[in-house]
Amino acid sequence: MKPIVAITYCTQCRWLLRAGWTAQELLVTFEDELGGVTLVPGTGGIFEVTVDGALVWSRKGEGRFPELKELKQRVRDIVSPERPLGHSDKSHSDTDA
């Protein structure tokens, strides 16, 4: 069974569009690796991303929203660690030597 991503977002903060956009980006990037992305309404400023229940990102814990590049890297590390992400994979300084 393929992993399921859950994005819990704050309805009071009106973060549904951000959560939906994030879900779309993850589904496009990991179309063969994911079994789905679920949007979970919450309150209290929550914005969390989990993969099969394992926390991948917490806005409260990180103090900010994720950059899509780093969120994709964290999800990739769980669902398909060997998979390259192309231009989203490394910063340019990682490849300059």
Side-chain angles (χ1 to χ4, degrees):
M1 193 160 146
K2 294 180 180 181
I4 303 292
V5 172
I7 301 171
T8 305
Y9 65 95
C10 180
T11 57
Q12 297 167 312
C13 302
R14 304 281 190 232
W15 289 339
L16 174 59
L17 289 177
R18 180 184 295 266
W21 173 71
T22 301
Q24 177 182 327
E25 288 291 325
L26 292 174
L27 285 168
V28 167
T29 301
F30 301 105
E31 62 187 351
D32 295 327
E33 292 90 355
L34 294 178
V37 176
T38 303
L39 300 180
V40 182
T43 57
I46 192 167
F47 193 90
E48 291 183 347
V49 180
T50 61
V51 177
D52 286 343
L55 186 63
V56 174
W57 189 273
S58 167
R59 189 187 74 82
K60 183 178 179 181
E62 302 281 345
R64 61 187 173 85
F65 286 102
E67 294 291 329
L68 198 55
K69 173 183 170 178
E70 75 189 311
L71 183 60
K72 286 180 180 182
Q73 289 170 348
R74 291 185 186 191
V75 169
R76 182 273 317 271
D77 290 348
I78 294 171
V79 303
S80 186
E82 71 289 345
R83 183 181 190 274
L85 289 175
H87 69 278
S88 293
D89 211 6
K90 304 275 186 205
S91 68
H92 291 293
S93 62
D94 291 344
T95 57
D96 293 342

